[in-house]
Amino acid sequence: DVKVTQSSRYLVKRTGEKVFLECVQDMDHENMFWYRQDPGLGLRLIYFSYDVKMKEKGDIPEGYSVSREKKERFSLILESASTNQTSMYLCASSSPRAGKNGELFFGEGSRLTVL
Amino acid sequence: GEDVEQSLFLSVREGDSSVINCTYTDSSSTYLYWYKQEPGAGLQLLTYIFSNMDMKQDQRLTVLLNKKDKHLSLRIADTQTGDSAIYFCAESMTAGSSNTGKLIFGQGTTLQVKP
């Protein structure tokens, strides 16, 4: 069964703390994505990666960074957490290979609360 | 830029049909998708339609695509309480004639099914 695993389902952090959100996929997918989900706003793309050590900014990258040292792992980093980063974070992966429909496979999500 | 719009809420009675609507802006999108998110979970692909199709049927689900109006709809026949969830419309994002691998999501429609 194909899987995207996010390491933490729930986190509570204090303002100014550094936060790491880890995501691992077992499908040998080239593409990996981090979205945040907020009520009424849907999913907004933070960062994405098409390959190892490669990253590109999405629509809302401010306050975030990412790391992709291995193909299966894509980490989201909040250098100094702020209350407006309280949200649900969703990791996803996909394959750009021919014959695929571009479907994104999602993890279960990490709900982050910043106090 | 690209944008996907959906209404935020729909309430139906069990056994009725549900119709969730979506408008999008990128006329060169290759695929359009419907994802379902159950409470506390990530998103799962429900169905998708290739841009050269007008309709796709899959058991209780019917997807209609009107490319001229950039309008996508999802009809769920004989709606059940287990269909209660958030439904996201998404379009594949292109750059020129190439698929970028990124998806643009709508705000999500919360479907409430009353017994």
Side-chain angles (χ1 to χ4, degrees):
Chain A
D1 200 17
V2 295
K3 210 155 180 176
V4 178
T5 304
Q6 294 184 229
S7 55
S8 305
R9 293 295 308 275
Y10 301 95
L11 302 98
V12 180
K13 297 290 181 181
R14 295 209 173 274
T15 302
E17 281 192 86
K18 191 168 185 176
V19 182
F20 291 90
L21 299 179
E22 304 283 342
C23 174
V24 177
Q25 50 94 5
D26 64 3
M27 294 168 280
D28 198 35
H29 282 170
E30 289 80 1
N31 301 338
M32 295 190 75
F33 306 84
W34 275 105
Y35 287 88
R36 67 176 277 177
Q37 180 183 5
D38 299 288
L41 297 178
L43 274 68
R44 293 180 290 166
L45 183 62
I46 305 171
Y47 266 96
F48 60 102
S49 169
Y50 288 143
D51 202 351
V52 177
K53 297 197 186 294
M54 179 268 175
K55 60 185 178 185
E56 285 200 35
K57 293 180 180 178
D59 300 316
I60 52 163
E62 296 79 18
Y64 303 95
S65 62
V66 289
S67 171
R68 188 136 182 230
E69 295 296 318
K70 292 185 177 180
K71 188 176 184 181
E72 67 270 18
R73 188 180 296 270
F74 193 37
S75 304
L76 180 69
I77 303 150
L78 288 67
E79 291 289 340
S80 177
S82 62
T83 54
N84 64 12
Q85 292 178 310
T86 292
S87 188
M88 169 73 93
Y89 291 87
L90 293 166
C91 175
S93 71
S94 71
S95 171
R97 294 170 218 154
K100 302 287 186 180
N101 64 8
E103 174 187 357
L104 293 189
F105 292 84
F106 282 87
E108 294 283 290
S110 299
R111 185 165 291 283
L112 172 66
T113 301
V114 183
L115 303 175
Chain B
E2 293 82 4
D3 197 17
V4 178
E5 296 280 339
Q6 310 175 231
S7 54
L8 294 181
F9 188 78
L10 176 66
S11 181
V12 301
R13 291 225 170 266
E14 193 172 18
D16 288 350
S17 291
S18 309
V19 179
I20 303 171
N21 294 300
C22 168
T23 57
Y24 62 96
T25 56
D26 186 355
S27 58
S28 57
S29 288
T30 311
Y31 292 99
L32 294 123
Y33 309 84
W34 284 103
Y35 278 83
K36 178 181 180 182
Q37 184 182 37
E38 295 185 354
L43 277 69
Q44 285 197 304
L45 182 68
L46 199 57
T47 186
Y48 69 95
I49 188 166
F50 193 53
S51 58
N52 67 356
M53 297 169 66
D54 298 324
M55 185 180 92
K56 181 179 180 181
Q57 187 138 14
D58 184 2
Q59 298 183 330
R60 293 191 295 122
L61 305 178
T62 304
V63 178
L64 295 177
L65 175 60
N66 180 330
K67 285 196 76 172
K68 176 175 163 287
D69 295 337
K70 297 180 190 168
H71 183 267
L72 184 73
S73 68
L74 173 70
R75 179 176 181 269
I76 306 172
D78 187 25
T79 313
Q80 304 297 306
T81 53
D83 295 323
S84 294
I86 304 175
Y87 291 81
F88 289 91
C89 169
E91 62 171 343
S92 57
M93 191 174 157
T94 55
S97 59
S98 300
N99 225 337
T100 65
K102 292 190 283 184
L103 300 192
I104 307 296
F105 287 85
Q107 303 92 324
T109 300
T110 298
L111 175 64
Q112 180 189 66
V113 183
K114 295 179 182 176

